[in-house]
Amino acid sequence: MAASVASPTLPAGRYGSSSVCASHITSGTSSPCASSMTLSSCSSPGRRIVTASMAEIGEYLSEEPPTPLLDTVNFPIHMKNLNKLQLNQLADELRSETIFAVSKTGGHLGSSLGVVELTVALHHVFNAPEDRILWDVGHQTYPHKILTGRRSKMPTLRQTAGLSGFTKRSESEFDPFGAGHSSTTISAGLGMAVGRDLKGRGNHVIAVIGDGAMTAGQAYEAMNNAGYLDSNLIVILNDNKQVSLPTATLDGPAPPVGALSSALSRLQSSRKLRALREVAKGMTKQLGGSMHLVASKVDEYARGMISGSGSSLFEELGLYYIGPVDGHNMDDLVTILREVKATEQLGPVLIHVVTEKGRGYPYAERAADKYHGVVKFDPATGKQFKGKTATKAYTTYYAEALIAEAELDSGIVGIHAAMGGGTGMNIFNKRFPERCFDVGIAEQHAVTFAAGLACEGMKPFCTIYSSFLQRAYDQVVHDVDLQKLPVRFAMDRAGLVGADGPTHCGAFDVTYMACLPNMVVMAPADEAELFHMVATAAAIDDRPSCFRYPRGNGIGVQLPMGNKGIPLEVGKGRILKEGTQVALLGYGSMVQHCLEAHKVLADCGISVTVADPRFCKPLDHGLIRQLAKNHQVLITVEEGSIGGFGSHVAQFMALDGLLDGKLKWRPLVLPDRYIDHGSPADQLAEAGLSASHIAATIKIWRNFVN
Amino acid sequence: RLHNVSRRRPAGAAKFLFIAATAVSDPPTFYDVLGLANNDVALPDIKTAYRKMARRYHPDVCPPEELEENTKRFLEVQEAYETLSDSRRRAMYDAHLLNFGPRKRWDLNAGEGVHWKRQWEGQLLGLQYRNTTKDANSNSWGARMRRKKEQEQQEQSS
């Protein structure tokens, strides 16, 4: 699935590279942005672009403009009496407020900018919180949060004890459903609609879902059920042609994945295609030749929409289809929403709204990834403040390791679920475009698809975030493990993940993978170990295997030569530090914290052994016996929930009689509650798994004994 | 022969237009695509330029190895001509170039906004009409609940 963009060979355009933020010119409240286009090159009369005293090269404002209308809106009720002109002004102010807020905190920008008008229209027409407005995934809700009483808290976005980056029920009554994973809104919305009907209430339920989230099966399960039940439900399909994340490959915009995107395009561009087809037909006739491939290409195209009945996929499922609608035209949106609101015998309705991700911020509009997720940036120039790190992210190392394996073994293929950037598979895709498969937001399909590949002797590496793999658990059990198919699972974002919070936290993967009878489960202590584990997984060809690695950068160890790891001996760990009194068995990257604790404790005179078990399954029995027999205390440490590594060690020790003597065994795991979003250091402290916590656990034992 | 349509899904051509329209580097304007020297050309010149370009890139007259590339170019030429030959669309496109430059994606549908509006206005009318008859002919769960609610409201008000 190559996505390289062929650069046009025709001469470049005359107008240069300037762009204009139109909205603030019309409002007149602040001076417009500078433009690199001089007045003399404007050959037609019309809008004049005035240079302002902003940054020389900047194409946006450098200081936040005043927001007089937004200042009067604390809650949606304050928007009820605004006229159309004011609604548009509110949208402009809301847009600049969003841009400046995200520039200071980082977060998801492009998606929020695409739904500014939609957010304003929804809150103007409907009465939240009685009317339930659900946002799929929730990363586009920054404007929604600003309009629902949380504007003053925006500086705390995605920080410890601050606003969540997604919708959260406990945060506000205007967030009726929490989100983070995609494609859940129609299901939840239908549940709320049916609950409303059973209670005899009359509020509205609106579910906003993107075209990317529409590629997941659950959306169809929900629409199918909605069509059957016929309860009043408004589904808004926010179509911005951005199906995978980030919304680009390394070379440029990614063409939308899957057949659904072409179906949506057909709905949008029906007349254009018909016209093209007619023209092509005419041209070919003129040249007197026979029909040719282009005519057939254009024809294939045109055939889809000229189906006479006008029914689309959604109508087949039982939803009344309205659209396409220009999602940036406030008038259109308000008109349609008002009409839909007033219809009593509604049933399920789907409004197809077409928006542009990143709209209103020139840098976002032009960027290949539409500024989907950004760190702090300078609004005037769009430059993000990305720090330089000495080491790369584990994600990048994984991609490099997989490439090195794939160079030598043509059976290795990579699979991911619409997360090319987040999983590093964009890097793999650039090198092996024929061997990288993006299935859209469809983890269940990805796993069974990998199982099918494994049946044919391929070596599939299913690269899915730990928390997203939860969606495909039965496929892992039933399709892969039960049949002992050699599918490799690379679980990124294992453990705590920082600002994204509990929805993206990979707390459970050790538990749910290690309990499967045929699965090999391992975790690298550092990036070099990651290279070796990728090689190990490639070499394990008779059963499924998995490995987990955290969000973050490597610690700076020497990488294997040529990025090619050496397969490890399965079921064998290693000792990193020799000691006598206490044994610390740290699983995965936790062992680094154990090494830090070792230093602290050495100063206190406690002799600690630090071991890296490498494998949770099969366990290194010899290592555990050795540690249990030669130490007074054995502590297992993992960044996972109960039921994982520590439990497997305890099970083994109990059956082996190692717990019948004087050994004290203590497990350190993530606490039995969800850790809120925040900085990684804060989260680790909250979880009680930092190096000082580990050291404190041991000191407490020592004080207790003495 | 045009009517012997193949049954395959039309993913390919849509992909080309999408990529052509959203290339990261500075894309050519429609005037460039037709090989016109400046934007102030009149309609006859546009027609001449279009015929020349279309003949150059029409897949019927190209060697097989250039087929895919030429198809792409041909579709670009088509889109350019369709926009520039219609005075209303050309005016909108010129305004778009003036305000945003060639890099900002120009959507043929932006000019088709009127078509969209007509379409959804019709759909809204359909919704209004349907509102009077929908539940009468239906025994779905939702219809039954709505009828029950209406009954209860009538009982309360009487």
Side-chain angles (χ1 to χ4, degrees):
Chain A
M1 218 190 66
S4 54
V5 179
S7 28
T9 52
L10 295 165
R14 295 172 58 236
Y15 281 92
S17 60
S18 71
S19 179
V20 166
C21 52
S23 54
H24 289 280
I25 292 177
T26 50
S27 69
T29 53
S30 53
S31 28
C33 40
S35 166
S36 59
M37 188 165 95
T38 61
L39 288 175
S40 57
S41 66
C42 304
S43 55
S44 323
R47 184 174 288 186
R48 293 186 132 239
I49 290 112
V50 178
T51 56
S53 60
M54 301 295 173
E56 290 303 300
I57 47 158
E59 292 183 34
Y60 196 71
L61 312 160
S62 57
E63 263 176 45
E64 185 159 6
T67 54
L69 198 48
L70 186 60
D71 292 345
T72 68
V73 175
N74 276 335
F75 292 97
I77 195 159
H78 304 145
M79 292 169 54
K80 290 302 164 187
N81 295 324
L82 297 180
N83 62 36
K84 295 215 163 122
L85 202 61
Q86 289 168 318
L87 287 175
N88 277 311
Q89 186 186 334
L90 182 64
D92 287 343
E93 294 181 12
L94 188 56
R95 193 167 253 123
S96 68
E97 177 82 7
T98 305
I99 292 168
F100 278 91
V102 178
S103 74
K104 296 188 191 98
T105 61
H108 293 100
L109 182 62
S111 45
S112 288
L113 292 181
V115 294
V116 167
E117 285 82 5
L118 181 63
T119 310
V120 171
L122 280 170
H123 281 301
H124 174 71
V125 172
F126 292 101
N127 303 317
E130 290 76 38
D131 288 336
R132 317 283 192 228
I133 304 178
L134 294 92
W135 299 88
D136 201 87
V137 185
H139 63 320
Q140 78 284 55
T141 54
Y142 299 177
H144 159 75
K145 294 196 177 199
I146 292 172
L147 289 178
T148 51
R150 289 167 276 186
R151 182 181 178 189
S152 53
K153 296 205 200 111
M154 286 302 283
T156 68
L157 185 69
R158 293 167 65 87
Q159 288 149 54
T160 314
L163 283 186
S164 164
F166 309 95
T167 48
K168 196 167 167 187
R169 275 175 63 85
S170 55
E171 184 178 283
S172 162
E173 57 176 344
F174 291 93
D175 291 353
F177 203 72
H181 292 190
S182 90
S183 321
T184 54
T185 357
I186 307 180
S187 296
L190 184 60
M192 291 187 190
V194 167
R196 162 204 67 199
D197 289 345
L198 288 169
K199 291 218 164 178
R201 287 205 295 258
N203 58 288
H204 299 272
V205 179
I206 303 105
V208 183
I209 181 169
D211 58 312
M214 271 297 194
T215 62
Q218 187 173 358
Y220 294 93
E221 294 174 8
M223 285 193 288
N224 185 37
N225 198 204
Y228 173 72
L229 288 176
D230 195 26
S231 177
N232 288 2
L233 174 67
I234 301 165
V235 177
I236 297 184
L237 171 58
N238 175 25
D239 183 3
N240 58 12
K241 287 203 185 8
Q242 305 295 326
V243 177
S244 294
L245 293 180
T247 53
T249 63
L250 295 181
D251 291 325
V257 162
L260 173 70
S261 305
S262 359
L264 291 179
S265 298
R266 280 204 296 281
L267 283 171
Q268 280 189 44
S269 53
S270 51
R271 235 183 76 175
K272 158 172 138 182
L273 301 174
R274 190 193 327 234
L276 278 176
R277 175 191 185 227
E278 293 308 307
V279 171
K281 192 158 81 167
M283 276 302 306
T284 320
K285 273 212 185 110
Q286 245 187 9
L287 293 173
S290 51
M291 297 298 116
H292 207 273
L293 271 173
V294 71
S296 76
K297 258 199 167 73
V298 173
D299 209 31
E300 275 176 352
Y301 225 66
R303 138 188 147 28
M305 41 62 60
I306 312 176
S307 52
S309 64
S311 77
S312 66
L313 174 64
F314 305 109
E315 286 179 342
E316 305 287 355
L317 287 169
L319 281 75
Y320 188 86
Y321 175 86
I322 297 175
V325 183
D326 179 356
H328 297 291
N329 184 320
M330 189 74 73
D331 287 4
D332 289 357
L333 289 171
V334 171
T335 304
I336 293 172
L337 289 174
R338 278 223 179 98
E339 190 61 48
V340 167
K341 180 182 178 185
T343 307
E344 280 178 11
Q345 298 178 23
L346 190 65
V349 165
L350 183 132
I351 307 175
H352 182 187
V353 172
V354 178
T355 62
E356 185 188 349
K357 190 164 180 174
R359 168 85 158 221
Y361 188 55
Y363 299 103
E365 288 173 4
R366 289 204 294 265
D369 71 344
K370 307 287 182 194
Y371 276 36
H372 167 77
V374 294
V375 295
K376 300 180 195 168
F377 64 95
D378 172 26
T381 59
K383 282 212 174 52
Q384 295 187 46
F385 303 132
K386 284 186 182 158
K388 282 242 179 292
T389 49
T391 54
K392 300 187 213 176
Y394 279 105
T395 308
T396 312
Y397 288 130
Y398 165 72
E400 291 174 356
L402 194 62
I403 290 175
E405 297 297 325
E407 298 278 9
L408 302 171
D409 187 342
S410 59
I412 290 187
V413 295
I415 299 149
H416 67 98
M419 294 289 296
T423 55
M425 291 307 279
N426 273 352
I427 303 170
F428 185 79
N429 181 50
K430 181 154 185 159
R431 175 67 189 88
F432 295 107
E434 302 307 312
R435 288 155 65 175
C436 184
F437 298 94
D438 174 5
V439 298
I441 304 180
E443 288 81 8
Q444 299 181 29
H445 163 70
V447 173
T448 309
F449 174 65
L453 282 165
C455 288
E456 294 301 317
M458 302 302 288
K459 300 187 180 174
F461 273 76
C462 230
T463 318
I464 299 178
Y465 281 11
S466 161
S467 64
F468 297 166
L469 191 57
Q470 287 161 193
R471 310 189 113 190
Y473 191 50
D474 182 54
Q475 283 74 13
V476 175
V477 177
H478 177 272
D479 296 332
V480 173
D481 194 76
L482 182 57
Q483 302 182 101
K484 217 172 165 187
L485 287 171
V487 175
R488 289 84 169 157
F489 294 97
M491 298 179 292
D492 199 340
R493 304 303 197 268
L496 299 164
V497 294
D500 278 335
T503 55
H504 288 61
C505 170
F508 309 114
D509 58 276
V510 187
T511 306
Y512 68 65
M513 284 306 221
C515 63
L516 301 178
N518 292 320
M519 182 74 65
V520 172
V521 182
M522 48 189 171
D526 55 47
E527 60 269 38
E529 286 283 294
L530 176 59
F531 281 89
H532 297 314
M533 286 191 182
V534 174
T536 311
I540 297 174
D541 222 18
D542 64 335
R543 58 185 59 219
S545 54
C546 70
F547 49 95
R548 65 172 340 218
Y549 45 99
R551 183 174 189 265
N553 292 358
I555 57 166
V557 291
Q558 173 104 21
L559 300 177
M561 233 188 20
N563 283 346
K564 175 79 179 73
I566 301 160
L568 304 164
E569 190 183 344
V570 176
K572 283 278 172 285
R574 55 177 182 158
I575 295 192
L576 296 174
K577 293 272 188 231
E578 294 271 11
T580 56
Q581 296 171 286
V582 179
L584 279 177
L585 197 50
Y587 186 60
S589 53
M590 267 291 128
V591 82
Q592 304 300 334
H593 296 281
C594 294
L595 287 171
E596 274 180 52
H598 170 273
K599 266 196 227 122
V600 167
L601 293 164
D603 293 340
C604 301
I606 308 181
S607 171
V608 176
T609 301
V610 180
D612 169 20
R614 285 180 165 151
F615 292 84
C616 175
K617 189 169 189 153
L619 278 174
D620 187 342
H621 294 166
L623 175 66
I624 296 174
R625 280 190 191 114
Q626 179 191 346
L627 294 176
K629 287 183 178 145
N630 298 335
H631 298 79
Q632 297 164 48
V633 183
L634 172 60
I635 301 182
T636 55
V637 189
E638 67 194 290
E639 203 175 339
S641 69
I642 192 173
F645 176 68
S647 301
H648 283 263
V649 171
Q651 178 84 355
F652 165 69
M653 290 201 295
L655 295 178
D656 212 48
L658 299 170
L659 292 179
D660 299 347
K662 292 222 184 90
L663 176 71
K664 289 183 175 38
W665 168 71
R666 296 290 178 270
L668 285 180
V669 297
L670 285 174
D672 194 21
R673 62 177 185 278
Y674 293 97
I675 307 281
D676 272 335
H677 61 280
S679 74
D682 286 346
Q683 283 191 324
L684 210 56
E686 164 80 20
L689 286 177
S690 66
S692 30
H693 283 93
I694 298 171
T697 310
I698 295 170
K699 283 194 212 162
I700 289 172
W701 158 75
R702 204 265 297 267
N703 290 342
F704 181 71
V705 161
N706 297 350
Chain B
R1 269 253 245 134
L2 202 62
H3 301 286
N4 291 346
V5 287
S6 69
R7 293 271 149 208
R8 283 180 299 125
R9 286 184 168 273
K15 215 190 272 193
F16 284 134
L17 275 178
F18 182 77
I19 293 176
T22 59
V24 175
S25 59
D26 218 347
T29 65
F30 286 153
Y31 296 98
D32 299 319
V33 167
L34 292 182
L36 292 163
N38 68 69
N39 296 15
D40 285 340
V41 289
L43 189 56
D45 296 14
I46 292 181
K47 283 191 171 159
T48 313
Y50 162 63
R51 273 190 224 111
K52 185 166 140 221
M53 280 298 169
R55 221 176 305 243
R56 160 83 184 79
Y57 290 117
H58 198 289
D60 274 346
V61 299
C62 76
E65 67 268 11
E66 285 178 38
L67 181 61
E68 201 170 341
E69 182 73 350
N70 278 22
T71 305
K72 201 165 62 147
R73 296 265 172 270
F74 183 76
L75 290 171
E76 281 172 23
V77 165
Q78 291 295 72
E79 196 184 8
Y81 177 64
E82 184 163 336
T83 309
L84 297 181
S85 59
D86 178 318
S87 58
R88 190 182 58 102
R89 265 184 239 144
R90 185 182 174 184
M92 282 199 261
Y93 180 68
D94 285 346
H96 172 94
L97 277 186
L98 187 63
N99 291 328
F100 304 114
R103 236 190 242 173
K104 187 157 155 102
R105 183 169 60 103
W106 160 256
D107 196 357
L108 197 57
N109 292 318
E112 304 289 37
V114 173
H115 165 67
W116 280 10
K117 184 160 183 174
R118 270 204 301 273
Q119 200 168 274
W120 57 253
E121 275 171 346
Q123 288 157 343
L124 288 182
L125 275 175
L127 198 67
Q128 276 177 13
Y129 171 71
R130 187 175 160 266
N131 196 27
T132 55
T133 61
K134 172 171 152 45
D135 283 349
N137 303 328
S138 167
N139 205 32
S140 66
W141 186 90
R144 297 199 303 266
M145 297 301 284
R146 283 187 288 271
R147 277 197 289 265
K148 184 169 154 203
K149 183 154 180 268
E150 206 188 309
Q151 255 181 344
E152 280 165 9
Q153 274 177 348
Q154 281 178 353
E155 275 163 19
Q156 271 184 1
S157 58
S158 62

